[in-house]
Amino acid sequence: MAASSYRLSQDQFVCPICLDVLTEPVATPCGHNFCKSCITQHWAVNIPCRCPMCKEVFYTRPELRVNTLISQMAAQFRPTQPEPTRGAAEEVSCDVCTGTKLGALKSCLVCLASYCGTHLEPHLTVLGLKKHQLIHPVENLQVRMCVKHYKPLELYCKMDQVCVCMLCMVLDHQTHNVVPVKTEYEEKLTELDEKEAELQQMIQKREAMIGQLKHSVEVSYESANREKEQGLQVFAALKEPIDRGLAEFIETIDNKHRPIEKQAKGLVADLEQEMFDLKKKSEKLKQLSCSEDHFQFLQTFWSIEEAKDWTGVSVRQPSYKGTVAAAVAELEEELSKEMQVFFEAELKTAQQYATNVTLDPETANPWLVVSDDRKQVTFGDVNKNLPDNPKRFSYYASVFSKNSFSSGRFYLEVLVEGKTKWDLGVASESVDRKGQVTLSPLNGYWTVSLRNGNEYKAFAETRVRLRLKSVPKKVGVFVDYEDGLVSLYDVDTAAVLYSFTGCSFTDKLFVFFNPCSSDGGRNSAPLVLCPIQNLQLKQLYSRIKSGINN
């Protein structure tokens, strides 16, 4: 029982020279154990060989062999991760050696000196020196001395978090909590695991953030490539009629120019031929002027024909005016068709995110009348006495949707036919609902408005006047929360009324409705939330109908 309860301790496997756990343990004939390298180095400078512990002299150097059993037992106490070793260039030299200095095995914090195995011996045998604190050899031991009192910095002030000497404690830190450096070291050593766990947790969090950021880049890259591909297709489709229109325009101009060029070339050829003939006649006349034969002169003179009369002969210039305008007009029509196809496709994509939206009477201004099914809102005849809760609009004749959105995409359609003025769009939950506020993204509103029956404006950072080709009867509202996009469409023509891009949403979004005042009955029509048929069902119905007709 006694044997079973016996436990080995690390102190039993410490080398008396280096004070570390035995490495390659060997035993001297006197029975003391040392590291093989430590005792070998000690005997290299001490002749005759002597045991550092009992001082027994060996006139013949003993043959040392590693004790494998003790080596295995000592390994249990050796740290699993060895302390960093110094390179040859960083080796600490013995401060006592003269001439060739040996490498130090230990440094003494009391003596402030480093010692090789031989010069370390007094610290292992002399009773007074045994109490000195030995550590692994380090350089610059002077930094461990108090510069003020030149005493060892062997104490630690917890209040000031500095190492101090005995005199510092008495003179400057008398009322402070001062402990031995070793005590503070051991206390902080126990906190290392917690610190390490915190650091590992911080590392994991940052690794997760890096992963999220890289994933965001990948998602953005994929989205960008998809958008580029779609853009290339769209611009290629738009470029095709431009190239075709340019070719047709050039052909039209050439067709007008070619007859003129052909006619002019023919006339030039005739003129050049006649010039050649005239030059020949001119030579004849010069020769005739030198003739003294009266008969021959008269015969030749009358044989010369008169030149052709070119008076009135000209090339009639064609009219090129209006050709460019006509080509541009035709191109505009072609581009409009191509753009219409694109806008229709974009609207169909937005409609895939159709959401069933209802109005929230709790937010409606007291002048507004919300239908029982919460799908219509109009300006009423009386200002109802309603509780003025924080959510209710009290200044503007406005109302929010019951639905809120803080992520993803959504789409809805609102009937605006018959109205002369309205405001429609989305707004942040935190907007001011009680006072007069300008509708703008800076104040949390992304809206389009109608005034005077035909004046359309987008309330961006500055008001943007919208020039529309037709009067919208039904307006579609599409929002992509993550992409920061708000687009409003003319549903019948698929035209984009306005798009707010690059928005930074940080709050819940609600659909914003303002039917405006009835304007003496001219604006009494309601704003109506319209049901949106499922596109897949529509496409299926279209295919079935097409099959029946065929």
Side-chain angles (χ1 to χ4, degrees):
M1 294 293 291
S4 63
S5 63
Y6 181 74
R7 293 289 184 271
L8 297 175
S9 67
Q10 180 176 343
D11 294 339
Q12 294 173 281
F13 298 94
V14 171
C15 172
I17 297 177
C18 67
L19 301 182
D20 276 340
V21 177
L22 290 166
T23 302
E24 293 187 316
V26 295
T28 58
C30 58
H32 294 110
N33 295 309
F34 303 92
C35 295
K36 184 177 181 180
S37 59
C38 293
I39 192 63
T40 301
Q41 183 180 358
H42 179 75
W43 284 346
V45 293
N46 289 277
I47 300 175
C49 300
R50 188 191 302 269
C51 175
M53 299 297 294
C54 65
K55 305 303 181 182
E56 183 177 345
V57 177
F58 310 108
Y59 295 99
T60 302
R61 176 178 290 194
E63 183 179 355
L64 302 175
R65 294 184 180 180
V66 176
N67 188 319
T68 56
L69 177 60
I70 296 179
S71 178
Q72 292 173 2
M73 296 173 69
Q76 300 176 18
F77 301 98
R78 193 173 294 115
T80 55
Q81 294 203 359
E83 297 180 4
T85 57
R86 293 176 176 269
E90 297 178 348
E91 186 179 43
V92 178
S93 300
C94 176
D95 291 327
V96 182
C97 289
T98 57
T100 303
K101 289 184 175 292
L102 298 177
L105 292 180
K106 291 291 179 179
S107 293
C108 177
L109 295 180
V110 178
C111 303
L112 294 180
S114 298
Y115 302 103
C116 64
T118 300
H119 295 120
L120 181 64
E121 185 177 345
H123 281 77
L124 305 177
T125 57
V126 179
L127 183 62
L129 297 178
K130 281 185 177 181
K131 296 181 180 180
H132 288 193
Q133 186 177 356
L134 300 177
I135 61 172
H136 287 284
V138 294
E139 295 179 342
N140 299 324
L141 285 168
Q142 294 301 321
V143 300
R144 300 169 187 266
M145 294 289 288
C146 175
V147 296
K148 186 175 181 181
H149 306 112
Y150 206 71
K151 297 289 183 181
L153 297 172
E154 53 189 354
L155 301 174
Y156 182 81
C157 177
K158 286 180 171 288
M159 179 178 293
D160 297 332
Q161 296 183 351
V162 293
C163 292
V164 297
C165 70
M166 291 294 294
L167 287 177
C168 288
M169 180 187 69
V170 175
L171 300 176
D172 302 325
H173 301 263
Q174 187 174 6
T175 59
H176 296 179
N177 184 9
V178 178
V179 297
V181 169
K182 184 177 180 181
T183 302
E184 183 66 16
Y185 160 77
E186 292 173 347
E187 181 180 327
K188 289 292 183 280
L189 195 62
T190 59
E191 299 178 9
L192 281 182
D193 291 339
E194 296 178 5
K195 292 289 185 183
E196 175 64 17
E198 291 178 5
L199 288 174
Q200 290 300 326
Q201 197 172 27
M202 292 170 64
I203 291 171
Q204 291 174 3
K205 286 182 179 179
R206 280 149 184 77
E207 286 178 346
M209 289 179 63
I210 291 172
Q212 292 174 359
L213 291 172
K214 289 183 177 179
H215 178 69
S216 299
V217 172
E218 291 174 0
V219 171
S220 175
Y221 181 75
E222 292 174 359
S223 299
N225 283 341
R226 285 196 300 270
E227 200 68 18
K228 285 179 183 178
E229 184 177 353
Q230 182 182 3
L232 287 173
Q233 293 175 356
V234 171
F235 281 98
L238 294 176
K239 185 174 179 293
E240 194 274 332
I242 293 176
D243 293 340
R244 186 176 64 250
L246 177 61
E248 292 175 355
F249 166 73
I250 294 174
E251 183 64 22
T252 300
I253 297 297
D254 289 344
N255 288 339
K256 290 185 176 183
H257 171 71
R258 285 192 193 98
I260 304 305
E261 184 180 21
K262 183 178 180 181
Q263 180 186 6
K265 284 183 177 179
L267 293 175
V268 168
D270 292 344
L271 285 169
E272 288 176 344
Q273 182 60 46
E274 188 167 358
M275 285 174 60
F276 179 75
D277 295 340
L278 290 174
K279 287 179 180 179
K280 290 177 63 177
K281 291 179 180 181
S282 176
E283 291 296 328
K284 286 184 180 182
L285 290 176
K286 287 180 181 179
Q287 295 175 5
L288 190 61
S289 63
C290 299
S291 176
E292 296 180 357
D293 187 343
H294 300 163
F295 178 81
Q296 184 64 30
F297 176 86
L298 292 175
Q299 289 291 331
T300 303
F301 182 82
W302 292 111
S303 66
I304 298 176
E305 299 178 356
E306 294 184 2
K308 179 180 178 180
D309 184 7
W310 289 87
T311 305
V313 177
S314 63
V315 176
R316 184 178 180 182
Q317 291 291 335
S319 175
Y320 297 103
K321 189 174 182 180
T323 307
V324 176
V328 171
E330 185 176 352
L331 176 60
E332 183 180 10
E333 185 177 354
E334 287 289 326
L335 290 177
S336 297
K337 292 179 181 179
E338 293 292 340
M339 292 174 67
Q340 184 66 24
V341 172
F342 168 72
F343 289 139
E344 288 176 357
E346 184 180 8
L347 179 58
K348 286 181 179 179
T349 301
Q351 287 174 333
Q352 293 177 358
Y353 300 94
T355 305
N356 182 24
V357 175
T358 57
L359 302 171
D360 184 6
E362 295 294 322
T363 65
N365 181 281
W367 281 97
L368 298 183
V369 178
V370 178
S371 63
D372 293 338
D373 63 358
R374 300 183 179 181
K375 291 289 186 178
Q376 300 185 26
V377 60
T378 187
F379 196 89
D381 298 327
V382 294
N383 185 358
K384 299 185 290 297
N385 185 18
L386 298 174
D388 188 18
N389 64 69
K391 298 194 300 181
R392 191 180 305 282
F393 284 92
S394 59
Y395 188 87
Y396 287 110
S398 307
V399 61
F400 268 171
S401 63
K402 184 69 174 177
N403 317 60
S404 66
F405 306 90
S406 56
S407 64
R409 302 167 180 170
F410 65 92
Y411 174 83
L412 65 141
E413 292 179 355
V414 181
L415 184 68
V416 297
E417 186 176 11
K419 296 190 68 61
T420 59
K421 54 183 178 179
W422 47 259
D423 297 322
L424 186 61
V426 295
S428 294
E429 181 181 29
S430 58
V431 296
D432 184 2
R433 310 185 192 191
K434 303 302 180 182
Q436 184 178 6
V437 178
T438 301
L439 300 183
S440 72
L442 294 176
N443 294 324
Y445 292 91
W446 295 265
T447 61
V448 169
S449 73
L450 167 66
R451 295 291 185 271
N452 301 322
N454 60 1
E455 297 177 4
Y456 294 90
K457 294 180 181 179
F459 289 93
E461 278 70 14
T462 58
R463 294 190 179 186
V464 180
R465 187 180 182 89
L466 307 179
R467 302 186 183 278
L468 309 181
K469 294 182 178 180
S470 60
V471 176
K473 297 179 181 179
K474 190 185 296 183
V475 175
V477 180
F478 173 71
V479 175
D480 187 328
Y481 194 97
E482 281 75 19
D483 200 34
L485 172 67
V486 178
S487 293
L488 288 91
Y489 298 87
D490 180 345
V491 176
D492 294 328
T493 63
V496 178
L497 301 181
Y498 191 80
S499 286
F500 298 88
T501 58
C503 308
S504 180
F505 302 128
T506 57
D507 204 356
K508 288 182 180 179
L509 293 182
F510 291 83
V511 187
F512 175 78
F513 306 83
N514 184 3
C516 298
S517 63
S518 59
D519 196 18
R522 289 185 292 274
N523 190 42
S524 58
L527 290 175
V528 183
L529 281 161
C530 304
I532 304 172
Q533 296 182 9
N534 188 288
L535 291 179
Q536 294 180 350
L537 292 178
K538 288 174 67 176
Q539 294 171 358
L540 178 61
Y541 172 76
S542 177
R543 289 196 296 269
I544 294 174
K545 185 177 179 181
S546 176
I548 293 174
N549 292 336
N550 293 335

